Amino acid sequence: MKPREIQLDFGSENTSPVHPAFVAAVTSANVGFATNFEAEAWTERANQSLRAFFEHDSLQAFTVTTGTAANAIALGAMVPPYGTILCHWDAHIETDECGAPEMFSFGARQVPLAGEHGRLSPAAVSKHLTHARFGVVHSLQPTALSLTNLTEAGTAYTPGQIKELTDIAHRYGLGVHMDGARFANAAAAVSATPAQLSWKSGVDVLTLGTTKSGSFGVETIISFEEKYNTALAYLRKRSGHLVPKTRFLGAQLQAYMDDDLWLKNARHANEMARQLSQGLASLPGVELVHPVEGNEVFVRMPERMVNRLSEGGCKFQRDWRPEPHQHRFVCSWATSLEQVNALISVARDGAAQMPS
Amino acid sequence: MKPREIQLDFGSENTSPVHPAFVAAVTSANVGFATNFEAEAWTERANQSLRAFFEHDSLQAFTVTTGTAANAIALGAMVPPYGTILCHWDAHIETDECGAPEMFSFGARQVPLAGEHGRLSPAAVSKHLTHARFGVVHSLQPTALSLTNLTEAGTAYTPGQIKELTDIAHRYGLGVHMDGARFANAAAAVSATPAQLSWKSGVDVLTLGTTKSGSFGVETIISFEEKYNTALAYLRKRSGHLVPKTRFLGAQLQAYMDDDLWLKNARHANEMARQLSQGLASLPGVELVHPVEGNEVFVRMPERMVNRLSEGGCKFQRDWRPEPHQHRFVCSWATSLEQVNALISVARDGAAQMPS
Amino acid sequence: MKPREIQLDFGSENTSPVHPAFVAAVTSANVGFATNFEAEAWTERANQSLRAFFEHDSLQAFTVTTGTAANAIALGAMVPPYGTILCHWDAHIETDECGAPEMFSFGARQVPLAGEHGRLSPAAVSKHLTHARFGVVHSLQPTALSLTNLTEAGTAYTPGQIKELTDIAHRYGLGVHMDGARFANAAAAVSATPAQLSWKSGVDVLTLGTTKSGSFGVETIISFEEKYNTALAYLRKRSGHLVPKTRFLGAQLQAYMDDDLWLKNARHANEMARQLSQGLASLPGVELVHPVEGNEVFVRMPERMVNRLSEGGCKFQRDWRPEPHQHRFVCSWATSLEQVNALISVARDGAAQMPS
Amino acid sequence: MKPREIQLDFGSENTSPVHPAFVAAVTSANVGFATNFEAEAWTERANQSLRAFFEHDSLQAFTVTTGTAANAIALGAMVPPYGTILCHWDAHIETDECGAPEMFSFGARQVPLAGEHGRLSPAAVSKHLTHARFGVVHSLQPTALSLTNLTEAGTAYTPGQIKELTDIAHRYGLGVHMDGARFANAAAAVSATPAQLSWKSGVDVLTLGTTKSGSFGVETIISFEEKYNTALAYLRKRSGHLVPKTRFLGAQLQAYMDDDLWLKNARHANEMARQLSQGLASLPGVELVHPVEGNEVFVRMPERMVNRLSEGGCKFQRDWRPEPHQHRFVCSWATSLEQVNALISVARDGAAQMPS
């Protein structure tokens, strides 16, 4: 469709092509007949691998095809209709899922809280919970804390930072959900294991993304708490998210873990973002909005430079919410150094055109 | 995973491998970067093709990954919470979707009605609507009629039969939904065009399946009525069913239509079912439960024969609801005559063992 | 408003005036200031009285203003969205509440079952549960059994009949709800205590009506199972059913129990119905549809007689669902023997006009 | 129950006794039999009176028994599940209804916005709507603006202030809801007619409270926009809020309008609040938080004075949300000057005890 010229697409990991390992996984799984609805070898093998991957013997995994679904099913199983979900005011569940958590929890409310650079502030969480009217029927009851790692600002929580927040949540009886759409990038950023970034730090239910790591579209709800499992299973089916041909999801989830693909892809993407941010930051008038710890770069830049990038065919999130003049560039497994340098070069052109 | 011996899997079309054309479509679409969320060429092209396919200029299409999702989103957009959905008592939405239509309509009720061989009886529909308490707030209000074609009994509605039902529905102000999980098989069975089997016969919203035709998993909600489009669009997103990498769904939907793949696969599957039903019906003690018009065969057979089939590794739906001793065999694009004959042969063995 | 002539209104207990004891209760409670939302003496006293009334130390009571609310909140607290509620096909929750149980349970499904004269058939319940696909995510999961006593046919379950049904339900893990809109009439009919008709026979949550016993409108959800209490409390508030000035509800609930008002009113209403049924049944062409055990009379009668009654200003439920030519007459605390005889007299006129 | 000594209860209007006119209305309506479910003379008469009261020929009224219900049904009928409701961050629907609007709208979201002294800031509303992502499926869609008059800070919107806000809302296609729990107090405060404060200023649906004006508990949803009426009617029933014996609600609604009772009670309550606020403000260390325009007084006062009031048996909302050391006193039709002076006297005692 597109000319074979270099594509400067930094809009989202989801605009990238699918990584060959996922293509191979899917094609390899396409042999003969296989029972549907998870009673097949691929899903079973992936579930076994997940237990090793997370060093957790009794986790339950539920694959679906979108991150919005994974988050909404997880939160729907964790929170009663009269509950609240504490999250960062910039969380994807709050800003970009059209109220999916509200739908799946039958009307629970999200409570957006503050925190610098995308990380929820423990003080903000504590303050909210201290003033919450627990046990008062006129008031919705705090029931879950939802963290996002990588955060929406492209920063990464360390296990210690997660633990600090989940300790507060658990003290008040809340369950903890983690939106791990970019879980691999976070793990690469802070050099922590999947276990350290999840249940060992107090996460009860994780939604683990592989889509942004290069798969066709597989997200997995991983429950470390047995009490949520029944609701998760029925809610997945009831919301139309149990796909029939699960083997193709199981095979991709397996490929994600095999040969450290998840980590390699994340490291590459993070490194591209680091180089991109350095290149952009070296230009006059460009300012990084957040520390670049993962594969996302948020910058403020002169309007002329932004226009030059758009004219040059560069794709990125312009005027990214909520601040105007703040733009988002995302790198993926498929982003090449050539592309990064090309983008910087176009931006430099924009800088050059500016009155000094 | 499986030995390369012949697999006798007649459990569901969804246990079949994916047809090579869909594999090719997906791999071909995996070139370079492409905008996510439908703003890409594959979805746009599929939408154009759909308009030709259905001879309808203003239809709107919404791809998702499961049939349950497609049905639930369609009905959720068509029916208010205080509405009812009239359907056959054996409809998939009634028996196998864990209440997804109830979830997506926020508590609307399904009214299961009778009809022979899976086809809703126009008399039953008329009688229900005649006695419905329209305008009485104590009573849920009939709002949609849902038909399934192929029916759950493997029979096919003709355009005329559909029209008879939709006329009744429209007379009372109901919208009409069609569950077309096996739409291609129905079209092949009655030699009708997609348009004849849908909007030309009064269908307002169709859920068109490609999964059972051999794709990885693409179902499309096709709205012929503009008034439903806004709700459809938001409900799809809100329920987590707008996948990010839509190009792979669009490419498969295109492949379904290209070169009459949909029709070829359906005709093959239907023919295999015909041969299977003839072979089984020729055995002593075997009785066909429903006319075999599509790719499904429902039979009653001696218990000994059933056991022999199970022991012989044959997969099928044993004691298929709601009647015990009623079994379902499904053929797909991947079912070979060799497999059909092998199954009949095993069944014949079971027959031979019986006391004459 | 109405002329002081005799009113022949047998349409519903709810068309009766409010009994003077309830008027007195409300006026007596209207002294000075009182804390709102149940932190007042009237509700507290009623709750204490309820524990004696039901011989149950730990029941929790939740007053609301309609029976539909009481049923829906009860079932909403007992049943998850993926659950089903087994009930008689003629139950009020199924036929007359516009899907309130579906709304409050966020889409659970009601399964209407058969049973003669309004009583659920234990065999029908057993059969449904035997075939239910427990643990299969494609299928909604049976979670509650809902009984109505008096039944919608005006018959009464004995404690033994209740026990037989609740034993089946509990064996399969279902909770048991009882719609007791006419609980007093049932108790009067079978000479059983409130305890015998509820928790001692296996009822987990009862909705106890006082409205049809002559109050302004107070219905009480009585939970004998602690596990439902939190959900009940929040669901009542969240659905707008926690009234601020609870003292007036508490006072009426107290009046219901005081001096056996509940029983006296029920006995009177039942006796009026008995006399009415005998009088009508003695007329030519009149047939009782159900045994008259409480305060409702269901009859088939010649069309001419029906017309004569209507012309004579008699109010009753004509062509009561679902059978045409079946009519319902209801007696209440306010029905006098004079009214009963006057109605019979009008009906006799209708009979006399008929060709013999 | 309480000794006949003077009660110093300023906690809420709802702790007051019911005004004699409402008691008389209820007792007067309790004559003979009357059709249930609104097909009776009292509701019909009240509806006629409402049309004169609001100078609006085609309004539709729906009585219920709580303000939470009235608000939730109104908003549920106005807003789709994927909609948002803009309101003041201190609105009752946001802080005290346990998520009822979320339940009745099936998961719509409330967007709390700022504004001084309880009045929504037109700038805040404009800014939110300017940045709202209309037509983007990832984002919930602004659909309704909800105003509260009296505001939760006890101030009153003038017709002009309402108009300014509703103009903005309508420009963006939003419907406008007004929570009029204290509508009469607002009308008294700004000397405007009911019409001026509602539809003439752009309000589409009003929830008109009589409970805080001294009734037993009647709130009325008044729809000035026909398009909402069907949903309102079914949602009221479906949520269990259509009471059977409507005549007692209709009679109270009538009494509210008769002889300007609504206005007299509101003027009295407002005047008591004025005197209370003046008395308190004259004490050392006492500061009014908001202008006192209606019947509510918000003050900051020395802790010792607060303690003295509590010890003296005074009831009021201590540490009223969200600010600690901010207390709310409410006057009603039943508040006497004697009570006001007695409270001021106790407060003065507290002041006297303080170190000067």
Side-chain angles (χ1 to χ4, degrees):
Chain A
M1 305 275 148
K2 296 271 177 180
R4 304 297 298 180
E5 68 184 24
I6 185 169
Q7 288 181 287
L8 299 184
D9 193 329
F10 294 79
S12 163
E13 302 92 331
N14 293 334
T15 63
S16 304
V18 167
H19 187 280
F22 292 108
V23 178
V26 159
T27 3
S28 302
N30 194 32
V31 286
F33 291 74
T35 310
N36 51 1
F37 294 130
E38 302 199 324
E40 29 73 19
W42 292 268
T43 294
E44 181 47 37
R45 192 176 153 229
N47 285 341
Q48 287 302 334
S49 298
L50 276 174
R51 295 195 177 96
F53 189 76
F54 282 103
E55 309 165 42
H56 194 287
D57 283 347
S58 62
L59 65 78
Q60 289 287 331
F62 303 85
T63 52
V64 297
T65 55
T66 76
T68 293
N71 287 333
I73 293 170
L75 292 166
M78 298 175 77
V79 180
Y82 53 88
T84 64
I85 300 159
L86 280 53
C87 64
H88 194 278
W89 69 275
D90 204 16
H92 199 264
I93 56 170
E94 173 71 10
T95 64
D96 277 278
E97 302 189 351
C98 197
E102 283 93 333
M103 176 176 173
F104 283 60
S105 64
F106 309 105
R109 188 183 291 176
Q110 290 172 210
V111 177
L113 296 172
E116 288 199 356
H117 297 313
R119 289 188 198 90
L120 259 178
S121 146
V125 174
S126 276
K127 185 182 171 194
H128 177 81
L129 290 172
T130 304
H131 289 87
R133 296 186 289 162
F134 284 101
V136 175
V137 295
H138 305 268
S139 183
L140 292 158
Q141 301 294 301
T143 318
L145 172 70
S146 179
L147 306 176
T148 309
N149 205 16
L150 276 199
T151 73
E152 298 295 336
T155 58
Y157 285 104
T158 64
Q161 290 167 337
I162 297 169
K163 188 72 165 48
E164 185 179 1
L165 286 160
T166 64
D167 278 352
I168 299 169
H170 288 150
R171 197 177 313 135
Y172 284 89
L174 281 70
V176 178
H177 164 255
M178 177 172 280
D179 178 348
R182 295 184 179 94
F183 187 79
N185 301 89
V190 301
S191 298
T193 66
Q196 287 170 336
L197 280 181
S198 57
W199 66 275
K200 285 188 176 172
S201 299
V203 174
D204 298 307
V205 180
L206 169 71
T207 60
L208 175 70
T210 73
T211 312
K212 292 183 194 300
S213 292
S215 77
F216 284 98
V218 181
E219 305 282 313
T220 308
I221 304 155
I222 295 174
S223 166
F224 302 109
E225 275 293 331
E226 195 189 351
K227 67 178 169 182
Y228 300 128
N229 294 352
T230 300
L232 286 167
Y234 284 94
L235 193 46
R236 176 174 59 161
K237 172 59 199 177
R238 183 170 170 80
S239 60
H241 283 293
L242 176 58
V243 307
K245 302 183 181 178
T246 38
R247 61 168 139 168
F248 300 109
L249 274 59
Q252 288 181 79
L253 180 53
Q254 186 64 48
Y256 173 83
M257 294 178 282
D258 280 345
D259 304 320
D260 280 346
L261 179 66
W262 66 287
L263 198 52
K264 289 176 192 164
N265 281 359
R267 282 178 179 154
H268 173 80
N270 288 5
E271 173 60 18
M272 289 302 100
R274 198 186 61 79
Q275 301 225 14
L276 175 62
S277 66
Q278 288 191 342
L280 290 176
S282 71
L283 301 178
V286 173
E287 183 189 357
L288 296 178
V289 179
H290 304 296
V292 175
E293 299 174 9
N295 62 320
E296 296 182 292
V297 180
F298 294 82
V299 297
R300 288 195 202 87
M301 54 171 62
E303 199 62 10
R304 215 151 167 175
M305 193 182 287
V306 183
N307 291 334
R308 181 67 194 86
L309 285 169
S310 292
E311 291 155 14
C314 300
K315 298 203 172 159
F316 56 102
Q317 293 283 355
R318 194 166 169 172
D319 294 313
W320 185 244
R321 281 161 296 109
E323 295 300 321
H325 311 308
Q326 175 174 320
H327 315 287
R328 190 188 77 164
F329 299 80
V330 185
C331 298
S332 76
W333 76 268
T335 308
S336 66
L337 193 52
E338 184 190 10
Q339 289 167 326
V340 168
N341 288 334
L343 182 107
I344 295 168
S345 173
V346 178
R348 188 177 295 118
D349 284 357
Q353 294 168 357
M354 293 189 291
S356 58
Chain B
M1 303 273 151
K2 297 272 176 179
R4 302 299 296 181
E5 68 185 25
I6 184 169
Q7 289 181 288
L8 299 183
D9 193 330
F10 294 79
S12 162
E13 300 93 332
N14 294 334
T15 63
S16 304
V18 167
H19 187 280
F22 291 109
V23 177
V26 158
T27 0
S28 302
N30 194 33
V31 286
F33 291 74
T35 309
N36 49 2
F37 295 129
E38 303 200 322
E40 29 74 20
W42 292 269
T43 293
E44 182 47 38
R45 191 175 154 233
N47 285 342
Q48 288 302 335
S49 299
L50 277 174
R51 294 194 178 97
F53 189 76
F54 282 102
E55 309 165 41
H56 194 288
D57 283 347
S58 62
L59 65 79
Q60 288 288 329
F62 304 85
T63 52
V64 297
T65 56
T66 75
T68 294
N71 287 333
I73 293 169
L75 292 167
M78 298 175 78
V79 180
Y82 54 88
T84 64
I85 300 158
L86 279 53
C87 64
H88 194 277
W89 69 274
D90 204 17
H92 198 263
I93 56 170
E94 173 72 10
T95 64
D96 276 278
E97 302 189 351
C98 198
E102 282 95 331
M103 176 175 173
F104 283 61
S105 64
F106 310 105
R109 188 184 290 175
Q110 292 171 209
V111 177
L113 296 172
E116 288 198 357
H117 299 311
R119 289 188 198 91
L120 258 178
S121 147
V125 173
S126 275
K127 186 181 171 194
H128 177 81
L129 290 172
T130 304
H131 289 87
R133 296 186 289 162
F134 284 100
V136 174
V137 295
H138 305 268
S139 184
L140 292 158
Q141 301 294 300
T143 318
L145 171 71
S146 180
L147 306 176
T148 309
N149 205 14
L150 277 200
T151 72
E152 298 295 336
T155 58
Y157 284 104
T158 64
Q161 290 167 336
I162 298 170
K163 188 73 165 47
E164 185 180 1
L165 286 160
T166 63
D167 278 350
I168 299 169
H170 288 150
R171 198 176 315 137
Y172 284 89
L174 282 70
V176 178
H177 164 254
M178 177 172 279
D179 177 349
R182 295 184 180 95
F183 187 80
N185 302 90
V190 300
S191 297
T193 66
Q196 288 170 333
L197 281 181
S198 57
W199 66 274
K200 286 187 177 174
S201 300
V203 173
D204 298 307
V205 181
L206 168 72
T207 60
L208 174 71
T210 73
T211 312
K212 292 185 194 299
S213 293
S215 77
F216 284 100
V218 180
E219 306 281 314
T220 308
I221 304 156
I222 295 173
S223 167
F224 302 109
E225 275 294 329
E226 194 189 351
K227 68 178 168 181
Y228 300 128
N229 294 352
T230 300
L232 287 168
Y234 284 95
L235 192 47
R236 176 175 59 161
K237 172 58 198 179
R238 182 170 170 81
S239 60
H241 283 293
L242 175 57
V243 308
K245 303 184 180 177
T246 38
R247 60 168 139 168
F248 300 109
L249 273 59
Q252 288 181 78
L253 180 53
Q254 186 63 49
Y256 173 84
M257 294 178 282
D258 280 346
D259 304 321
D260 280 345
L261 179 65
W262 65 286
L263 198 52
K264 290 174 191 164
N265 281 358
R267 283 178 178 154
H268 174 81
N270 288 5
E271 172 62 17
M272 290 301 101
R274 198 184 61 78
Q275 301 225 14
L276 175 62
S277 66
Q278 289 190 341
L280 289 177
S282 71
L283 300 179
V286 173
E287 184 189 355
L288 295 178
V289 179
H290 303 297
V292 175
E293 300 174 10
N295 63 321
E296 296 181 292
V297 180
F298 295 82
V299 298
R300 289 195 202 87
M301 54 170 63
E303 199 63 10
R304 216 154 166 172
M305 193 183 288
V306 184
N307 290 335
R308 181 67 195 87
L309 285 169
S310 291
E311 290 156 15
C314 299
K315 299 204 171 158
F316 57 102
Q317 294 283 355
R318 194 168 169 170
D319 295 313
W320 185 245
R321 282 161 295 110
E323 294 301 321
H325 311 308
Q326 176 173 321
H327 315 287
R328 190 188 76 165
F329 299 80
V330 185
C331 298
S332 76
W333 76 268
T335 307
S336 65
L337 193 52
E338 183 190 9
Q339 290 167 326
V340 168
N341 288 333
L343 183 107
I344 294 168
S345 173
V346 177
R348 188 177 294 119
D349 283 357
Q353 294 169 359
M354 292 189 293
S356 58
Chain C
M1 306 272 149
K2 296 271 177 181
R4 304 298 299 181
E5 68 185 23
I6 186 168
Q7 289 182 288
L8 300 183
D9 192 329
F10 295 79
S12 162
E13 301 92 332
N14 294 333
T15 63
S16 305
V18 168
H19 188 280
F22 291 108
V23 178
V26 159
T27 0
S28 302
N30 194 32
V31 286
F33 292 74
T35 310
N36 50 3
F37 295 130
E38 302 200 323
E40 29 72 20
W42 292 268
T43 294
E44 182 47 38
R45 191 175 153 231
N47 285 342
Q48 287 303 333
S49 299
L50 277 174
R51 294 194 178 97
F53 189 77
F54 282 103
E55 309 165 40
H56 194 288
D57 283 347
S58 61
L59 64 80
Q60 288 288 329
F62 304 85
T63 52
V64 297
T65 55
T66 76
T68 294
N71 287 334
I73 293 170
L75 292 167
M78 297 174 77
V79 180
Y82 53 88
T84 63
I85 300 159
L86 280 53
C87 63
H88 194 277
W89 69 275
D90 204 16
H92 199 263
I93 56 170
E94 174 71 10
T95 64
D96 276 278
E97 302 190 350
C98 197
E102 283 94 332
M103 176 176 174
F104 283 61
S105 63
F106 309 106
R109 186 184 292 177
Q110 292 170 209
V111 177
L113 296 173
E116 288 198 356
H117 298 312
R119 289 188 198 90
L120 260 177
S121 146
V125 174
S126 275
K127 186 181 171 194
H128 178 81
L129 291 172
T130 304
H131 289 88
R133 296 186 288 162
F134 284 100
V136 175
V137 295
H138 305 269
S139 184
L140 291 158
Q141 301 292 301
T143 318
L145 172 70
S146 179
L147 306 177
T148 308
N149 205 15
L150 278 199
T151 72
E152 298 295 336
T155 56
Y157 284 105
T158 64
Q161 289 167 337
I162 297 169
K163 188 73 165 47
E164 185 179 2
L165 286 159
T166 63
D167 278 351
I168 299 169
H170 288 151
R171 198 176 313 135
Y172 284 90
L174 281 70
V176 177
H177 164 255
M178 178 172 280
D179 178 349
R182 296 185 179 94
F183 187 79
N185 301 89
V190 300
S191 298
T193 66
Q196 287 169 335
L197 281 180
S198 57
W199 66 275
K200 285 188 177 173
S201 299
V203 173
D204 299 307
V205 180
L206 169 70
T207 60
L208 175 70
T210 73
T211 312
K212 292 185 195 299
S213 293
S215 77
F216 283 99
V218 181
E219 306 281 314
T220 308
I221 304 155
I222 295 174
S223 167
F224 302 110
E225 275 293 329
E226 194 189 349
K227 68 179 169 182
Y228 300 127
N229 295 352
T230 300
L232 287 168
Y234 284 95
L235 192 46
R236 176 175 58 160
K237 171 60 198 178
R238 183 170 169 81
S239 60
H241 284 293
L242 175 57
V243 306
K245 302 182 181 178
T246 39
R247 60 168 139 168
F248 300 108
L249 274 59
Q252 288 182 79
L253 181 52
Q254 186 63 48
Y256 173 84
M257 293 179 282
D258 280 346
D259 304 321
D260 279 346
L261 180 66
W262 66 285
L263 198 52
K264 290 174 191 165
N265 281 357
R267 282 178 180 156
H268 173 80
N270 289 6
E271 173 60 17
M272 290 302 101
R274 197 186 61 80
Q275 299 225 14
L276 175 63
S277 67
Q278 287 191 342
L280 290 177
S282 70
L283 301 179
V286 174
E287 185 189 355
L288 296 178
V289 179
H290 303 297
V292 175
E293 299 173 9
N295 62 321
E296 295 181 292
V297 181
F298 294 82
V299 298
R300 288 194 202 87
M301 54 171 63
E303 199 64 9
R304 214 151 167 175
M305 194 183 287
V306 183
N307 290 335
R308 180 68 194 84
L309 285 169
S310 292
E311 291 156 14
C314 299
K315 298 203 172 159
F316 57 102
Q317 294 282 355
R318 194 166 170 170
D319 294 313
W320 185 244
R321 281 160 297 112
E323 294 301 321
H325 311 307
Q326 175 174 321
H327 316 287
R328 190 188 77 165
F329 299 80
V330 185
C331 299
S332 76
W333 76 268
T335 308
S336 65
L337 192 51
E338 185 192 7
Q339 290 166 326
V340 167
N341 288 334
L343 183 107
I344 294 169
S345 173
V346 178
R348 188 176 296 120
D349 284 356
Q353 296 168 356
M354 291 188 293
S356 58
Chain D
M1 305 273 147
K2 296 271 177 178
R4 304 296 299 182
E5 67 185 24
I6 185 169
Q7 288 182 288
L8 300 183
D9 192 329
F10 294 79
S12 162
E13 300 93 332
N14 294 333
T15 63
S16 304
V18 167
H19 187 280
F22 291 108
V23 177
V26 158
T27 2
S28 302
N30 195 32
V31 286
F33 292 73
T35 310
N36 51 1
F37 294 130
E38 302 199 326
E40 28 73 18
W42 293 267
T43 293
E44 182 47 38
R45 192 175 153 230
N47 285 343
Q48 288 302 335
S49 299
L50 277 174
R51 294 195 177 95
F53 189 77
F54 281 104
E55 309 165 40
H56 194 287
D57 283 347
S58 62
L59 65 79
Q60 288 287 330
F62 303 85
T63 52
V64 297
T65 56
T66 76
T68 294
N71 287 333
I73 293 170
L75 292 166
M78 297 174 77
V79 181
Y82 53 87
T84 64
I85 300 159
L86 280 52
C87 64
H88 194 277
W89 69 275
D90 204 16
H92 198 264
I93 56 169
E94 174 71 10
T95 65
D96 276 278
E97 302 190 350
C98 197
E102 283 94 332
M103 176 175 173
F104 283 61
S105 63
F106 310 104
R109 187 183 291 177
Q110 292 171 208
V111 177
L113 295 173
E116 288 199 356
H117 298 312
R119 289 188 199 89
L120 260 177
S121 145
V125 173
S126 275
K127 185 181 172 194
H128 177 80
L129 290 172
T130 304
H131 289 88
R133 297 184 288 161
F134 284 101
V136 174
V137 295
H138 305 269
S139 184
L140 291 157
Q141 300 294 300
T143 318
L145 172 70
S146 179
L147 306 176
T148 308
N149 205 16
L150 279 197
T151 73
E152 297 295 336
T155 57
Y157 284 105
T158 63
Q161 289 167 336
I162 297 168
K163 188 72 166 48
E164 185 178 2
L165 287 160
T166 63
D167 278 351
I168 299 169
H170 289 151
R171 198 177 314 135
Y172 284 90
L174 281 70
V176 178
H177 165 254
M178 177 172 280
D179 178 349
R182 295 184 180 94
F183 187 78
N185 302 89
V190 301
S191 297
T193 66
Q196 288 170 334
L197 281 180
S198 57
W199 66 274
K200 286 188 176 173
S201 299
V203 174
D204 299 306
V205 181
L206 169 70
T207 60
L208 175 70
T210 74
T211 312
K212 292 185 194 298
S213 293
S215 77
F216 284 100
V218 181
E219 307 280 314
T220 308
I221 305 155
I222 295 173
S223 167
F224 302 109
E225 275 293 330
E226 194 189 351
K227 69 178 168 181
Y228 300 128
N229 294 352
T230 300
L232 287 168
Y234 284 94
L235 193 46
R236 177 175 58 160
K237 171 60 198 177
R238 183 171 170 81
S239 60
H241 284 293
L242 176 58
V243 307
K245 302 183 181 178
T246 39
R247 60 168 140 168
F248 300 108
L249 274 59
Q252 289 181 77
L253 181 52
Q254 186 64 48
Y256 173 83
M257 293 179 282
D258 280 346
D259 304 320
D260 280 347
L261 179 66
W262 66 286
L263 198 52
K264 289 175 192 164
N265 281 358
R267 283 178 179 154
H268 173 81
N270 288 6
E271 173 60 19
M272 290 301 101
R274 198 186 60 80
Q275 300 225 14
L276 175 62
S277 66
Q278 288 191 342
L280 289 177
S282 71
L283 301 179
V286 174
E287 183 188 356
L288 296 177
V289 179
H290 303 298
V292 175
E293 299 173 10
N295 63 321
E296 295 181 294
V297 181
F298 294 82
V299 298
R300 289 194 202 87
M301 53 171 63
E303 198 64 8
R304 217 155 164 173
M305 193 183 289
V306 184
N307 290 335
R308 181 68 194 85
L309 285 170
S310 292
E311 290 155 14
C314 300
K315 298 202 172 160
F316 57 102
Q317 294 283 355
R318 194 167 169 170
D319 294 311
W320 185 245
R321 282 161 295 111
E323 293 301 321
H325 312 308
Q326 176 174 321
H327 316 286
R328 190 187 77 164
F329 299 79
V330 184
C331 298
S332 76
W333 75 270
T335 307
S336 66
L337 192 52
E338 184 190 9
Q339 289 167 327
V340 167
N341 288 334
L343 183 107
I344 295 169
S345 172
V346 177
R348 189 177 295 122
D349 284 357
Q353 294 168 358
M354 292 189 293
S356 58

